[in-house]
Amino acid sequence: MLEAIGLACTRGQRRLFGNLNFSVAPGEALWVSGPNGSGKTSLLRMLCTLLAPEEGELRWRGQPVRALGESYRAALAYLGHAVAVKDDLSGLENLRFVLAQDGRRVGEPAVVEALGRFGLTGREDLPARVLSQGQRRRVSLARLLFCADRPLWILDEPLTALDSQAIDLVRTLIAQHLGRDAVVVLTSHQDVELAGVKVRQLRMID
């Protein structure tokens, strides 16, 4: 479903990786691990077409990503390592804003419910600047509850700064998505334990 053939990436004067090959089938997760600076985030940005490969090719369902263009980007949901939350907006406003950017018309009750599932009940209207780093990340992650129709999730360190309850919820959402024959690619410094689903590990070398 997702295939990388001979990918290479150089940032500045440093070669991060070269001749990188992998394939991920429907219902599988790819856990990209490795030390900081080994190219994990660069690889994920490449999968999102935010960074062009220096060499090699990405394929989605057998077709080159470059040829698919917007139809490929419409198939994916990307959550970056940096929490994309605006300080001056509340958690409710932030989530509604990002959903609107996705072209989704979602009523306020559904947005409030999504934030509540991530343990933010009673904090929906607080400005993001007063939330903890973990709470801000939960606001960002709540978007996944509305992304069941995106067959490719690309998640950069989704478990960072979360307590055990939120980590369990994210793992559950990922496992449920894989149960729809989707593909999930994620980075994590923590072990990725997903009951009943196949997780393949790609170890990046510094």
Side-chain angles (χ1 to χ4, degrees):
M1 194 166 187
L2 179 66
E3 185 178 14
I5 304 169
L7 293 184
C9 178
T10 300
R11 303 304 299 269
Q13 301 298 315
R14 183 164 175 255
R15 180 87 154 188
L16 294 180
F17 55 81
N19 195 31
L20 182 64
N21 301 277
F22 62 82
S23 61
V24 194
E28 290 184 350
L30 180 68
W31 170 26
V32 183
S33 65
N36 291 335
S38 59
K40 300 188 301 295
T41 293
S42 292
L43 174 59
L44 264 58
R45 287 175 59 81
M46 202 172 282
L47 297 180
C48 296
T49 73
L50 296 174
L51 179 66
E54 182 182 0
E55 300 171 5
E57 183 176 70
L58 282 168
R59 294 180 183 174
W60 174 248
R61 293 174 170 165
Q63 300 296 315
V65 164
R66 279 176 288 189
L68 292 172
E70 190 58 38
S71 66
Y72 170 72
R73 287 184 285 273
L76 67 86
Y78 171 58
L79 292 181
H81 179 55
V83 179
V85 171
K86 297 181 183 297
D87 287 344
D88 293 336
L89 299 181
S90 67
L92 179 64
E93 291 167 333
N94 268 288
L95 183 52
R96 292 186 72 176
F97 176 75
V98 74
L99 290 173
Q101 285 188 313
D102 274 350
R104 301 179 188 276
R105 295 181 179 273
V106 180
E108 185 170 317
V111 177
V112 170
E113 181 182 357
L115 293 171
R117 286 194 63 184
F118 273 90
L120 294 170
T121 299
R123 298 180 175 86
E124 306 95 332
D125 294 318
L126 294 177
R129 73 168 72 88
V130 306
L131 300 178
S132 69
Q133 187 65 18
Q135 289 169 338
R136 290 161 62 89
R137 183 165 294 278
R138 292 182 197 186
V139 171
S140 182
L141 287 165
R143 175 187 168 215
L144 293 179
L145 292 167
F146 302 93
C147 291
D149 60 335
R150 303 288 177 96
L152 174 59
W153 285 4
I154 300 175
L155 313 175
D156 197 354
E157 294 291 345
L159 306 181
T160 297
L162 298 181
D163 60 20
S164 59
Q165 184 175 3
I167 288 173
D168 287 344
L169 175 55
V170 173
R171 286 173 171 160
T172 297
L173 291 176
I174 292 173
Q176 289 174 344
H177 198 50
L178 294 172
R180 305 180 188 107
D181 281 339
V183 165
V184 176
V185 180
L186 73 158
T187 64
S188 178
H189 288 290
Q190 305 181 46
D191 286 341
V192 178
E193 301 173 1
L194 301 171
V197 298
K198 184 175 182 179
V199 179
R200 304 180 63 180
Q201 185 174 9
L202 175 63
R203 176 79 179 174
M204 307 292 282
I205 300 174
D206 192 358

